[in-house]
Amino acid sequence: MSQQQTAGRGASDASRPAGGPNGRRPSREPFADRLAARLGSNSLTGLFFKLVFLGVVNGLALYAVSTLLPLRAWTPLLVVVVATLALDAVYLSRRTLPLKFLIPGTIALLVFQVYPVLYTAYIGFTNYGTGNVLTQDQAVDRILAGATRVPEGATRFRSTPLVDDADGTLALLLTDPDGDVFLGTADGLESIDEGDVAGEGRDIVVADRFRPLTLGEAQQREDEVLDFAVPISDERAAEFDEGVNAEAISVQTFTTAAVAVTALELDEDTGNIVDTVEGVVYEPVDGVYTAEDGATLRPGFRTVVGFDNYEQVLTSPAIRGPFFRVFVWTFAFAMLSMLTTFVMGLALAMALNDPRIKGRRLTRSLLIIPYALPSFMTALIWRGLLNQSFGPVNRMFGLDVPWLSSQAYAGALPKFSILLVNLWLGFGYMFLINTGALQAIPSDLTEAAKVDGASGWQAFRNVTLPLLLVAVGPLLIASFAFNFNNFNVVFLLTGGGPPIGGTPTPAGHTDILISYSYRLAFQGGRGQDFGLAAAVSSIIFLLVAVFSYIGFKRTAVLEEIN
């Protein structure tokens, strides 16, 4: 029942005398129908499917919250909670009908389009990469955890590695310089009497649980034994005349152990890390704790570095030179790929648009095959076909042409090969859209132009082409933007090579910006540099946005002309 009907019925009921015309109470809608209407549904079936949908959404949201909360990922957690509450509020109300259609797409747009762009831009302002993966708190914990050392003059023990046969637990039988005997476990240090050690030599049993490791067991568990440490309390440290920094008794060799101290501590007031033994202060500088003499503590941590990554792209000689060469080739590659595929697709579409040609349906179907095949598979096939030594192209014509590796003329031949393969991959798509656009243009327009004395070329240039560009213009812009980031063809066909000589960064003659940023991030020899790669990706995004804006402005001009 619609809201208007319900409102009209309510008004009618309000004007009717209580008790009805026959003195009986008027009939009311069933409670389930009124509940469904109140929750914004027209029927019980609709209410059922709505509740199932919201149940699934809320269940997934609870799972996401339980996962994100321990990780302290506050931003994603806030997004999940707000999005879930918004969906519940919209779909359980009968006053938000337009939002029921808009909000799912809006949430998907924000999550899958806006958020990745903003996050990539944010990463471009950080030092995120190898050595700077952790947060600052995680890095401090890691540094302090590995900051124990054995100072000169520390108390040393004779040690015998023990094992509990019941569960394989390790322990140490320790004897200090005064001859006192202790049992050291992962829980701490305890004194033992002579009576707690039964037997002699390798047959002793300590505290009725532990026995010495055999030589074979010691070899098998060598790393465990050498990493084993017995924590000691401040009272025990005082017994051994050790300072307050005494942390544990650590194994030095299979037969010796010594008191280790914590050499580093965090100054809560300044945020610096202080070496209490050497007296050196390490301050956080660009994600790394650094001393005055340049010494650093690893690992580093993620931090905002401002425009450093963008400045590095534009001013570093190691990146600036290859970057502008790659940028020019990227623009040329995207433009030539768009033009060549469009011209070839248009030519074939016009030829097969002539009703005098027989077998047009079969021919059109065959022309779609290159576009229907997976591009990565086609690129790999072409890589094999153009192989210099074993490729069928060279063998068939008796050639020895380095189609994919020639350095001559700034890699002109590999660039031509990539354009050729991309033409093979893309002309089918252009053929399809041009065929549809040509069939939508009224034929009487070109016939009228010919009646007025226009030649076939003049009719095409002045009538058919402008009308065609209005229809396919946005698709040409999309094709340009796609080829601007066409990573698959470049990476699978040439891997960006052949390399540009004399460049300290991994750049090739056929690299486009997206493949160059990938190689900077993962093949730069310094580990992974996500911050620099994100900065390059942000620049690519801005360039594509500008070119797309100009293209759409040109398309609008064509529409005004028509």
Side-chain angles (χ1 to χ4, degrees):
M1 181 177 290
S2 66
Q3 295 181 12
Q4 291 80 2
Q5 289 173 323
T6 303
R9 186 170 184 170
S12 177
D13 290 343
S15 60
R16 186 178 301 163
N22 300 323
R24 295 181 297 180
R25 296 181 64 85
S27 61
R28 301 184 61 186
E29 295 181 36
F31 171 77
D33 290 341
R34 285 187 283 120
L35 177 62
R38 183 173 292 276
L39 294 178
S41 298
N42 294 326
S43 65
L44 284 176
T45 304
L47 178 62
F48 172 76
F49 283 109
K50 179 188 292 187
L51 293 179
V52 170
F53 167 71
L54 292 179
V56 172
V57 170
N58 283 270
L60 293 174
L62 287 175
Y63 175 75
V65 168
S66 64
T67 304
L68 296 173
L69 195 58
L71 300 176
R72 299 182 179 181
W74 305 120
T75 302
L77 182 64
L78 179 64
V79 171
V80 170
V81 172
V82 171
T84 306
L85 292 177
L87 284 172
D88 290 343
V90 168
Y91 279 94
L92 291 177
S93 173
R94 56 182 178 181
R95 300 178 179 177
T96 55
L97 182 60
L99 284 178
K100 292 179 181 177
F101 296 93
L102 292 177
I103 197 165
T106 303
I107 292 176
L109 175 68
L110 293 175
V111 172
F112 297 111
Q113 294 289 334
V114 177
Y115 175 72
V117 172
L118 295 179
Y119 187 72
T120 301
Y122 163 72
I123 293 297
F125 289 100
T126 69
N127 63 346
Y128 188 24
T130 299
N132 297 93
V133 176
L134 304 175
T135 64
Q136 186 170 4
D137 291 340
Q138 292 171 332
V140 170
D141 292 342
R142 187 74 64 84
I143 291 171
L144 296 182
T148 57
R149 70 179 68 164
V150 177
E152 293 183 5
T155 305
R156 298 180 181 274
F157 301 83
R158 285 189 288 112
S159 172
T160 302
L162 305 174
V163 63
D164 185 349
D165 284 329
D167 55 8
T169 303
L170 290 177
L172 296 176
L173 180 62
L174 300 167
T175 305
D176 69 3
D178 297 331
D180 296 328
V181 182
F182 303 90
L183 175 64
T185 65
D187 298 326
L189 187 69
E190 60 178 294
S191 301
I192 58 175
D193 300 326
E194 293 182 358
D196 294 325
V197 180
E200 296 181 354
R202 307 302 300 178
D203 297 328
I204 62 173
V205 176
V206 180
D208 297 330
R209 289 177 54 194
F210 298 98
R211 64 167 177 80
L213 285 172
T214 64
L215 182 59
E217 291 172 334
Q219 291 176 341
Q220 292 177 355
R221 306 182 66 173
E222 178 180 359
D223 293 339
E224 291 181 69
V225 173
L226 295 179
D227 291 338
F228 191 76
V230 180
I232 57 174
S233 61
D234 293 341
E235 292 76 12
R236 285 290 187 186
E239 291 179 12
F240 298 133
D241 294 330
E242 299 290 348
V244 294
N245 292 328
E247 180 77 12
I249 298 174
S250 64
V251 173
Q252 303 299 297
T253 67
F254 277 104
T255 58
T256 62
V259 175
V261 300
T262 302
L264 302 176
E265 66 179 18
L266 178 66
D267 187 334
E268 298 289 350
D269 297 330
T270 62
N272 300 330
I273 292 180
V274 181
D275 188 329
T276 57
V277 177
E278 304 293 340
V280 179
V281 177
Y282 295 86
E283 299 180 358
V285 179
D286 292 337
V288 179
Y289 279 96
T290 308
E292 286 186 358
D293 60 356
T296 59
L297 297 175
R298 293 289 179 176
F301 56 89
R302 297 196 305 268
T303 188
V304 175
V305 294
F307 287 91
D308 286 1
N309 290 321
Y310 295 91
E311 184 179 350
Q312 185 178 358
V313 172
L314 299 176
T315 62
S316 171
I319 299 177
R320 183 181 57 192
F323 180 84
F324 285 106
R325 291 183 64 170
V326 170
F327 170 71
V328 172
W329 163 240
T330 302
F331 186 84
F333 169 73
M335 184 62 70
L336 290 174
S337 294
M338 183 266 290
L339 289 177
T340 53
T341 53
F342 173 71
V343 171
M344 186 170 180
L346 177 60
L348 291 171
M350 293 188 65
L352 294 176
N353 202 39
D354 191 332
R356 294 173 296 179
I357 294 181
K358 297 181 180 179
R360 290 186 298 164
R361 291 183 179 179
L362 176 62
T363 307
R364 284 170 174 164
S365 301
L366 294 176
L367 289 176
I368 298 173
I369 291 178
Y371 176 62
L373 294 174
S375 61
F376 73 90
M377 185 180 71
T378 306
L380 292 176
I381 291 174
W382 273 102
R383 183 174 182 168
L385 291 173
L386 297 176
N387 183 278
Q388 182 179 358
S389 302
F390 310 105
V393 174
N394 277 350
R395 294 177 61 184
M396 185 181 302
F397 296 101
L399 302 175
D400 187 27
V401 179
W403 298 98
L404 304 177
S405 58
S406 173
Q407 291 274 6
Y409 302 104
L413 191 57
K415 290 176 179 175
F416 170 77
S417 300
I418 284 186
L419 287 173
L420 181 67
V421 173
N422 212 28
L423 173 62
W424 170 264
L425 290 170
F427 84 89
Y429 171 72
M430 290 296 182
F431 167 72
L432 281 176
I433 62 173
N434 280 312
T435 298
L438 286 173
Q439 292 178 352
I441 296 175
S443 59
D444 50 355
L445 293 178
T446 51
E447 292 174 359
K450 291 179 180 178
V451 170
D452 290 340
S455 64
W457 166 249
Q458 290 173 326
F460 169 76
R461 189 187 64 181
N462 297 319
V463 178
T464 304
L465 186 59
L467 292 173
L468 188 72
L469 289 178
V470 172
V472 304
L475 299 177
L476 294 180
I477 296 171
S479 174
F480 176 84
F482 172 78
N483 284 300
F484 208 88
N485 296 302
N486 198 341
F487 179 85
N488 286 353
V489 170
V490 172
F491 196 76
L492 294 177
L493 198 63
T494 65
I500 300 175
T503 57
T505 55
H509 286 295
T510 59
D511 261 324
I512 59 177
L513 285 175
I514 191 67
S515 63
Y516 182 52
S517 62
Y518 173 82
R519 298 175 73 177
L520 281 177
F522 299 104
Q523 300 176 359
R526 299 176 303 168
Q528 300 168 345
D529 194 342
F530 300 120
L532 183 63
V536 177
S537 299
S538 299
I539 294 174
I540 295 173
F541 174 79
L542 292 176
L543 291 174
V544 173
V546 170
F547 293 144
S548 300
Y549 174 77
I550 295 173
F552 279 114
K553 291 285 289 184
R554 298 292 301 172
T555 303
V557 171
L558 288 174
E559 292 178 353
E560 293 175 0
I561 292 175
N562 286 282

